[in-house]
Amino acid sequence: MVKINVSQQLKESIGSTRNYVVNEMIDITGDESLIQGEVGLMRTDRSILAKGRLYTELELTCSRCLSLFSCPLTINIEEEYFPTTDIVTGTSLPLPDEPGSFTIDEHNILDLTEAIGQYALMAIPMKPLCGEDCAGLCPTCGSNLNQTPCNCPPKPVDPRWSRLSKLALADNQVSVTEQKGTK
Ligand SMILES: [Zn+2]
Ligand SMILES: [Zn+2]
């Protein structure tokens, strides 16, 4: 669960911990993604500290070949949640000094949804790759070289390399004639 009633834990002594299993669909990038893992909540002197490791897979666009792929992500969360209501007296508490802090609502519900979303976005790589060895797109015809090798001539290369590419071509011709010979 990601919406946890912490009214009991707020009454417990500092240091008390509880663990919760997370197995929830959460909207991260516009689509719902299954988030799974475990979160531990610890009572501190002023808050409840949520700490957990979660896993998900997001549909991302490969930065090299532009195809959609499923990218596994590990989301490590560590956030403090401040109560807004005094658990004993029921009176409102001042909001925490730190701007952007997470709060526990007046019904003592600690909602992890937003934190999970924020941490998941931070876990997304800057340049996602569908695979370490993604071949990318052909600069000439634009075909995805992972799926369809094209017949485009190699891009004009630095003249200093032309000797080398001629050598490579000669090698290819040799191997072709060899294959013919063995048939
Ligand atoms: Zn790719
Ligand atoms: Zn091509």
Side-chain angles (χ1 to χ4, degrees):
M1 55 172 87
V2 289
K3 291 187 169 88
I4 302 166
N5 189 322
V6 292
S7 52
Q8 280 308 311
Q9 198 173 6
L10 282 170
K11 292 174 192 158
E12 288 168 11
S13 53
I14 294 166
S16 84
T17 55
R18 289 176 184 219
N19 291 318
Y20 295 91
V21 170
V22 174
N23 189 4
E24 210 93 9
M25 298 297 287
I26 293 179
D27 184 340
I28 307 286
T29 53
D31 281 321
E32 301 251 296
S33 307
L34 179 64
I35 312 277
Q36 291 178 302
E38 235 182 62
V39 170
L41 300 186
M42 188 177 80
R43 176 76 166 114
T44 75
D45 56 345
R46 57 173 194 172
S47 67
I48 289 205
L49 180 66
K51 215 172 162 179
R53 173 170 287 201
L54 305 166
Y55 303 92
T56 190
E57 282 197 1
L58 294 184
E59 283 279 296
L60 298 181
T61 304
C62 175
S63 62
R64 213 179 274 168
C65 71
L66 307 182
S67 59
L68 275 177
F69 72 104
S70 184
C71 179
L73 284 188
T74 303
I75 309 165
N76 289 306
I77 285 188
E78 188 168 344
E79 274 299 332
E80 245 184 308
Y81 283 79
F82 296 90
T84 51
T85 308
D86 188 295
I87 191 68
V88 181
T89 64
T91 54
S92 298
L93 292 172
L95 287 173
D97 294 335
E98 294 104 291
S101 297
F102 290 103
T103 51
I104 300 164
D105 76 6
E106 67 272 27
H107 308 294
N108 300 310
I109 302 295
L110 186 159
D111 187 350
L112 292 166
T113 312
E114 203 185 324
I116 291 173
Q118 287 183 12
Y119 279 74
L121 286 178
M122 284 191 284
I124 295 176
M126 294 286 280
K127 290 192 170 176
L129 283 182
C130 63
E132 284 295 320
D133 54 353
C134 170
L137 301 177
C138 168
T140 308
C141 72
S143 70
N144 184 341
L145 299 176
N146 299 312
Q147 292 157 6
T148 34
C150 60
N151 294 316
C152 294
K155 284 267 280 184
V157 283
D158 188 308
R160 283 170 296 175
W161 291 107
S162 61
R163 245 179 76 86
L164 204 65
S165 48
K166 265 179 211 147
L167 282 174
L169 205 64
D171 275 350
N172 282 340
Q173 281 162 351
V174 167
S175 63
V176 167
T177 36
E178 271 174 0
Q179 277 169 6
K180 275 180 188 160
T182 50
K183 269 179 191 169

